[in-house]
């Protein structure tokens, strides 16, 4: 091996080593694919709301909505249930808007039960959950 | 002739391996299979990315060689001819290695991820076939191009150049065919609600097809330039004679010039890509820029900073070999601080969120809105301007500016001032609009910059037209450390490409084909950034090793010729 080769190898190791070190020095979390939950018609609205809160996080709603009063890309949802009923909420989730992707399409890709849980959670924001599995139906 | 058969033999055996893999996959029952010790995902990841790097290399080298060959032909420059040939020499073996990697990749991905690959093979059968035909043509032209180099000289040189053009055209088509699959996975189109491809035309010309083509094409040329420079640096460091040193020093400069000149267009291609992703699916755009993947941009900023600052460092040291260069050295500290600051802005993460789940707000707890995209775009634009100024200084250093041309200098200052002003105004406006509009704005800003830079160079031409030179450039009179800068820049480039390759795949999250075919394997999630960087570094080193093999093999070739 001539000296040029050795120098090259050392330089390459140093720089890739630096990037690897840097990549490992920042906070680490692996991203897990959201798991599908099972829902039963017996579940109380308040139980659904607990699941809905998880879905709200994992489906990426928080990218655009805060629930703490802050205005992000979308409106703040901390008092959303004072503004609309479960039907309107569901309409938003099923059809989306020009900016907001429908929750039933990727990347959120929720099924009807999950949408129901999400609505139950949204109802708790400024109000009380009242929907049960089966109450929320896809738009025709 | 026997040589041709031999070269195609490698290609055909690789194709055979790939086809065996495809056929075997159609007889498999399960959706996924694992690979012992190193996981299935890692196997496919390493093979795919190393193959892509080689594919970039064999696309870049012909462009690069052709530019230099034409340059040498037009200016009757022997040195350029020698450089072009030196690089063309690498092509045949590089093709074989790419084919081997491609064969292995196809084989492994079909057998480990049969569900996914079978889905792709269905609608895209025709494009697979097209691909096979194109690469056969391509590798034949490569062979002709290389073996006729000496025969087609003098008044036949034009024929050889035409061969080079044909090679580039076919090479680009090969890349575009492969991009059909990659872009489709990211932004599928032409699909019925139950996930069946109904229009192959829309599937091919999906949202990100053209952005990917353009982005890859530009990146590849830049990549070729930087690799050329690194190779020159390596030769420079091992050179014994002054003559060799001079040649390789010049080669390093030329490679760097090609690399930087094309890299300047990359952010533009990147915004275009980003814009199409946003219009395809806003949430994907946001995930990509600020959610689970925001750390990729942080790392990318660091790597690109190394590339920019390394290049500038190299060019600044290069002032030493230009008689008269010392006059400009006093400005360099300002430039370097400017660059450091711009990259600090760029590296400030959009949000220090660990993952999508943690997203609460969009801004950095300490740096606030510096972390969002708009200031980053401004920062990178200004960094580009810094590199341009460095190049201008390099051009000017060895010359006496003729009397009475001050006006052109002022024109340049005005343009530079305008670029800065426009960037700041756009930055200010960016805080008041939606990100889709913002990305569009950045494209117009960049177009403006491209035109302004064009004018700066135009005025530079007028300024220095017929200028008397202070003395010949002393090629070879270059500090050793400048050459390390070149090597580091090239390695960083490889790393950046592997990083972004990962980013493009990671953007799909737990989807093989976004929104159409879900990844239900145990590798559906994303690894932590730290783990990803380990694999990216491994890929970079593997690629360098294979490149070393290519150089080694062609070096023995040289003695025979």
């Amino acid at each position: 091996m001539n000296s040029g080769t050795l120098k090259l190898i050392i330089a390459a190791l140093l720089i890739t080593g630096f990037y690897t070190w840097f990549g490992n020095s920042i906070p680490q979390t692996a991203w897990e694919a959201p798991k599908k939950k099972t829902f039963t018609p017996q579940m109380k609205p308040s139980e659904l709301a607990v699941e809905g809160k998880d879905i709200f996080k994992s489906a990426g709603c928080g990218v655009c909505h805060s629930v703490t009063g802050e205005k992000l890309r979308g409106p703040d949802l901390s008092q959303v249930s004072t503004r609309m009923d479960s039907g309107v909420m569901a309409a938003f989730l099923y059809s989306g808007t020009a900016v907001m992707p429908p929750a039933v399409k990727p990347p959120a890709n929720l099924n009807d039960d999950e949408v129901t849980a999400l609505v139950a959670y949204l109802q708790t924001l400024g109000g009380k959950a009242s929907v049960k599995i089966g109450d929320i139906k896809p738009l025709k | 002739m026997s040589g041709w058969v031999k070269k195609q033999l490698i290609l055909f055996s690789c194709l055979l391996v790939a086809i065996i893999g495809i056929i075997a996959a159609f007889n498999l029952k399960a959706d996924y299979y694992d690979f012992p010790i190193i996981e299935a995902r890692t196997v496919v990841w390493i093979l795919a990315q190393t193959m892509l790097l080689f594919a970039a290399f064999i696309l870049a080298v012909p462009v690069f060689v052709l530019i230099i060959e034409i340059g040498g032909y037009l200016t009757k420059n022997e040195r350029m001819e020698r450089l072009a040939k030196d690089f063309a020499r690498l092509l045949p073996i590089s093709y074989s290695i790419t084919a081997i990697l491609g064969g292995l990749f196809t084989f492994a991905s079909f057998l480990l991820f049969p569900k996914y690959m079978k889905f792709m093979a269905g609608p895209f059968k025709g494009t697979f076939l097209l691909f096979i035909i194109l690469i056969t043509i391509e590798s034949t032209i490569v062979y002709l191009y290389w073996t006729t180099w000496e025969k087609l000289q003098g008044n036949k040189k034009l024929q050889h150049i035409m061969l080079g053009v044909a090679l580039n055209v076919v090479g680009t088509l090969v890349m575009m065919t492969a991009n059909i699959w990659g872009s489709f996975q990211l932004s599928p189109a032409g699909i019925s609600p139950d996930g069946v491809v109904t229009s192959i035309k829309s599937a091919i010309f999906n949202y990100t097809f053209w952005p990917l083509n353009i982005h890859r094409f530009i990146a590849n040329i830049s990549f070729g330039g930087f690799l050329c420079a690194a190779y020159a640096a390596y030769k420079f460091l091992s050179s014994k004679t002054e003559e060799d040193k001079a040649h390789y020093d010049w080669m390093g400069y030329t490679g760097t010039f090609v690399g930087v000149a094309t890299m300047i267009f990359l952010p533009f291609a990147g915004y275009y890509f980003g814009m199409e992703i946003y219009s395809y699916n806003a949430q994907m755009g946001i995930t990509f820029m600020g959610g689970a993947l925001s750390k990729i941009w942080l790392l990318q900023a660091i790597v690109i900073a190394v590339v920019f600052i390394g290049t500038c460092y190299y060019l600044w040291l290069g002032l030493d070999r230009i008689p008269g260069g010392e006059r400009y050295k006093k400005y360099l500290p300002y430039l370097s601080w400017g660059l450091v600051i711009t990259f600090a802005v760029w590296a400030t993460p959009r949000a220090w969120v660990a993952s999508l789940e943690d997203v609460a707000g969009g801004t950095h707890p300490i740096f606030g809105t510096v972390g969002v995209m708009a200031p980053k775009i401004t920062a990178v634009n200004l960094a580009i301007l810094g590199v341009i100024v460095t190049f201008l200084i390099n051009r000017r250093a060895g010359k006496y500016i003729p009397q009475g041309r001050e006006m052109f200098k002022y024109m340049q200052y005005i343009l530079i001032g305008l670029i800065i002003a426009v960037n700041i105004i756009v930055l200010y406006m960016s805080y008041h609009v939606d990100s889709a509009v913002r990305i569009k704005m950045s494209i117009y800003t960049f177009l403006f910059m491209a035109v302004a830079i064009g004018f700066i160079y135009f005025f530079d031409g007028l300024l220095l037209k017929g200028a008397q030179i202070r003395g010949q450039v002393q090629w070879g009179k270059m500090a050793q450390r400048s050459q390390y800068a070149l090597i580091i820049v090239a390695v960083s480039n490889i790393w950046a490409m592997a990083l972004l390759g990962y980013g493009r795949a990671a953007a799909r999250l737990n989807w093989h084909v976004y929104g159409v075919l879900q990844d239900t394997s145990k590798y559906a999630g994303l690894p932590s950034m730290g783990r990803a960087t380990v694999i990216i570094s491994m890929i970079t080193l593997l690629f360098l090793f294979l490149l070393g093999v290519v150089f080694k093999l062609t070096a023995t070739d040289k003695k025979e010729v």
Side-chain angles (χ1 to χ4, degrees), chain A residues 24-94:
Chain A
N24 280 282
S25 71
I26 54 184
Q28 300 290 315
T29 10
W31 181 84
E32 293 291 339
K35 296 200 176 42
K36 288 284 166 197
K37 300 195 163 91
T38 44
F39 296 91
T40 58
Q42 283 76 40
M43 286 174 84
K44 287 204 229 51
S46 59
E47 287 168 350
L48 282 177
V50 173
E51 301 294 340
K53 188 171 181 180
D54 279 352
I55 296 171
F56 187 88
K57 286 187 194 159
S58 65
C61 312
V63 171
C64 299
H65 298 289
S66 93
V67 290
T68 53
E70 201 180 341
K71 164 103 180 72
L72 303 179
R73 198 171 312 260
D76 164 62
L77 299 180
S78 56
Q79 296 295 323
V80 65
S81 70
T82 60
R83 293 197 293 271
M84 53 182 66
D85 65 10
S86 58
V88 179
M89 288 174 187
F92 265 104
L93 296 181
Y94 276 106

Side-chain angles (χ1 to χ4, degrees), chain A residues 2 4-5 7-8 12-13 15-16 19-20 22-24 26-31 33 59-60 62-63 72-73 101 106-107 109, chain B residues 234 281 283 286 295 306 350 352 354 359-360 435 484 487-488 491-492 495 509-511 514-515 525-526 528-530 533 537:
Chain A
N2 71 23
T5 313
K7 288 172 192 165
L8 182 97
L13 283 176
I15 190 76
T16 49
Y19 295 139
T20 315
F22 189 88
N24 280 282
I26 54 184
Q28 300 290 315
T29 10
W31 181 84
V63 171
L72 303 179
R73 198 171 312 260
N109 203 41
Chain B
Y234 162 68
N281 183 323
Q283 195 173 345
I286 294 163
K295 283 182 200 131
V306 170
R350 170 169 175 144
W352 260 120
V359 181
S435 44
Y484 289 112
I487 292 172
I488 285 174
V491 177
S492 301
W495 209 89
L509 299 174
N510 56 324
W511 295 90
Y514 197 72
L526 299 177
S528 66
M529 199 64 230
T533 53
S537 292

Side-chain angles (χ1 to χ4, degrees), chain B residues 543-555:
Chain B
F543 175 70
L544 280 171
F545 170 76
L546 289 175
L547 213 53
V549 171
V550 172
F551 283 122
K552 186 94 203 157
L553 289 176
T554 45

Side-chain angles (χ1 to χ4, degrees), chain A residues 29-32 63, chain B residues 286-297 353-357 359 502 506 509 526-527 529:
Chain A
T29 10
W31 181 84
E32 293 291 339
V63 171
Chain B
I286 294 163
T287 310
F288 207 33
M289 299 313 306
L293 304 174
S294 58
K295 283 182 200 131
I296 292 178
W297 305 108
V353 288
S355 68
L356 206 59
E357 289 94 272
V359 181
Y502 165 67
L509 299 174
L526 299 177
M529 199 64 230

Side-chain angles (χ1 to χ4, degrees), chain B residues 111-133:
Chain B
L111 292 183
L112 297 173
F113 292 84
K115 170 176 108 172
Y116 171 27
M117 297 308 285
K118 280 192 274 193
F119 176 90
M120 293 297 287
F124 291 113
K125 251 192 310 292
T127 58
F128 282 16
L129 204 66
L130 177 69
F131 188 76
I132 294 178
I133 295 170

